[in-house]
Coordinates of all heavy atoms in Angstrom, one line a residue:
Q198 N -8.9 7.6 8.8 CA -9.3 7.9 7.4 C -8.6 6.9 6.5 O -7.6 6.3 6.8 CB -9.0 9.3 7.1 CG -7.6 9.7 7.1 CD -7.4 11.2 6.9 OE1 -7.6 12.0 7.9 NE2 -7.0 11.7 5.7
S199 N -9.1 6.9 5.2 CA -8.5 5.9 4.2 C -7.0 6.1 4.0 O -6.3 5.1 3.8 CB -9.3 6.1 2.9 OG -10.6 5.8 3.0
A200 N -6.5 7.3 4.1 CA -5.1 7.5 3.9 C -4.3 6.7 4.9 O -3.1 6.2 4.6 CB -4.7 9.0 3.9
Q201 N -4.8 6.6 6.1 CA -4.0 5.9 7.1 C -4.1 4.4 6.9 O -3.1 3.7 7.2 CB -4.6 6.2 8.5 CG -4.2 7.6 9.0 CD -5.2 8.2 10.1 OE1 -6.4 8.2 9.9 NE2 -4.6 8.6 11.2
D202 N -5.2 3.9 6.3 CA -5.2 2.5 5.9 C -4.1 2.2 4.8 O -3.4 1.2 4.9 CB -6.6 2.2 5.3 CG -7.7 2.1 6.3 OD1 -7.4 1.9 7.5 OD2 -8.8 2.3 6.0
V203 N -4.1 3.0 3.8 CA -3.2 2.8 2.7 C -1.7 2.9 3.2 O -0.9 2.1 2.8 CB -3.5 3.8 1.5 CG1 -2.4 3.7 0.4 CG2 -4.9 3.6 1.0
A204 N -1.5 3.9 4.0 CA -0.1 4.1 4.5 C 0.3 2.8 5.3 O 1.5 2.4 5.3 CB 0.0 5.3 5.4
T205 N -0.6 2.2 6.1 CA -0.4 1.0 6.8 C 0.0 -0.1 5.9 O 0.8 -0.9 6.2 CB -1.6 0.7 7.7 OG1 -1.9 1.8 8.6 CG2 -1.2 -0.5 8.6
A206 N -0.7 -0.2 4.8 CA -0.4 -1.3 3.8 C 1.0 -1.2 3.4 O 1.7 -2.2 3.2 CB -1.4 -1.2 2.6
G207 N 1.5 0.0 3.2 CA 2.9 0.2 2.8 C 3.9 -0.3 3.8 O 5.1 -0.6 3.4
T208 N 3.5 -0.4 5.1 CA 4.5 -0.8 6.1 C 4.8 -2.2 6.0 O 5.7 -2.7 6.8 CB 4.0 -0.4 7.5 OG1 2.8 -1.2 7.8 CG2 3.7 1.1 7.6
F209 N 4.1 -3.0 5.2 CA 4.4 -4.4 5.1 C 5.7 -4.6 4.2 O 6.2 -5.8 4.2 CB 3.2 -5.2 4.5 CG 2.1 -5.4 5.4 CD1 1.1 -4.4 5.6 CD2 2.1 -6.5 6.2 CE1 0.1 -4.6 6.5 CE2 1.0 -6.7 7.1 CZ 0.0 -5.8 7.3
L210 N 6.2 -3.6 3.6 CA 7.5 -3.6 2.9 C 8.5 -2.8 3.7 O 8.2 -1.7 4.2 CB 7.4 -3.1 1.5 CG 6.6 -3.9 0.5 CD1 6.5 -3.1 -0.8 CD2 7.2 -5.3 0.3
D211 N 9.7 -3.3 3.9 CA 10.7 -2.6 4.7 C 11.0 -1.2 4.1 O 11.2 -0.2 4.8 CB 12.0 -3.4 4.8 CG 11.8 -4.7 5.6 OD1 10.9 -4.6 6.5 OD2 12.5 -5.6 5.5
D212 N 11.1 -1.2 2.7 CA 11.4 0.1 2.0 C 10.5 0.1 0.8 O 10.7 -0.7 -0.1 CB 12.9 0.2 1.7 CG 13.2 1.5 1.0 OD1 12.3 2.4 0.9 OD2 14.4 1.7 0.6
I213 N 9.6 1.0 0.7 CA 8.6 1.1 -0.4 C 9.2 1.7 -1.6 O 8.8 1.4 -2.7 CB 7.4 1.9 0.1 CG1 6.2 1.6 -0.9 CG2 7.6 3.4 0.1 CD1 5.6 0.3 -0.7
S214 N 10.3 2.5 -1.5 CA 10.9 3.1 -2.6 C 11.5 2.1 -3.6 O 12.2 1.2 -3.3 CB 12.0 4.1 -2.2 OG 12.6 4.7 -3.3
G215 N 11.1 2.3 -4.9 CA 11.5 1.4 -5.9 C 10.8 0.1 -6.1 O 11.1 -0.7 -7.0
K216 N 9.8 -0.1 -5.2 CA 9.0 -1.3 -5.2 C 7.8 -1.2 -6.1 O 7.4 -0.1 -6.4 CB 8.6 -1.7 -3.8 CG 9.7 -2.0 -2.9 CD 10.6 -3.1 -3.3 CE 11.5 -3.7 -2.2 NZ 12.1 -2.7 -1.3
T217 N 7.3 -2.3 -6.6 CA 6.1 -2.3 -7.4 C 4.9 -2.8 -6.6 O 5.0 -3.8 -5.9 CB 6.2 -3.3 -8.6 OG1 7.2 -2.8 -9.5 CG2 4.9 -3.3 -9.4
V218 N 3.8 -2.0 -6.6 CA 2.6 -2.4 -5.8 C 1.5 -2.6 -6.8 O 1.2 -1.6 -7.6 CB 2.2 -1.3 -4.8 CG1 0.9 -1.6 -4.1 CG2 3.4 -1.1 -3.8
A219 N 0.9 -3.8 -6.9 CA -0.2 -4.0 -7.7 C -1.5 -3.8 -6.8 O -1.5 -4.1 -5.7 CB -0.2 -5.5 -8.2
V220 N -2.5 -3.1 -7.4 CA -3.7 -2.9 -6.8 C -4.8 -3.6 -7.5 O -5.2 -3.3 -8.6 CB -4.1 -1.4 -6.7 CG1 -5.4 -1.1 -6.0 CG2 -2.9 -0.6 -6.1
L221 N -5.4 -4.6 -6.8 CA -6.5 -5.4 -7.4 C -7.8 -4.8 -6.8 O -8.0 -4.8 -5.6 CB -6.4 -6.9 -7.0 CG -7.5 -7.8 -7.5 CD1 -7.6 -7.8 -9.0 CD2 -7.4 -9.2 -6.9
A222 N -8.6 -4.3 -7.7 CA -9.8 -3.6 -7.2 C -10.9 -3.7 -8.3 O -10.7 -3.9 -9.5 CB -9.5 -2.1 -6.9
Q223 N -12.1 -3.5 -7.8 CA -13.3 -3.4 -8.8 C -13.2 -2.1 -9.5 O -12.8 -1.0 -9.0 CB -14.6 -3.5 -8.0 CG -14.8 -4.9 -7.4 CD -15.5 -4.9 -6.1 OE1 -15.2 -4.2 -5.2 NE2 -16.6 -5.7 -6.0
N224 N -13.7 -2.1 -10.8 CA -13.6 -0.9 -11.6 C -14.9 -0.1 -11.4 O -15.7 0.0 -12.3 CB -13.5 -1.3 -13.1 CG -13.1 -0.2 -14.0 OD1 -12.7 0.9 -13.5 ND2 -13.1 -0.3 -15.3

């Protein structure tokens, strides 16, 4: 499901806490 996709995206950072994530998407 989509939540597993998004969680996988977060694994590209060693520690997500305190980091900034920009989301580029269509409105």
Side-chain angles (χ1 to χ4, degrees):
Q198 62 190 78
S199 294
Q201 287 159 305
D202 287 337
V203 174
T205 304
T208 66
F209 285 89
L210 292 175
D211 291 334
D212 183 4
I213 199 74
S214 180
K216 300 298 195 322
T217 297
V218 177
V220 182
L221 177 63
Q223 291 148 308
N224 194 10

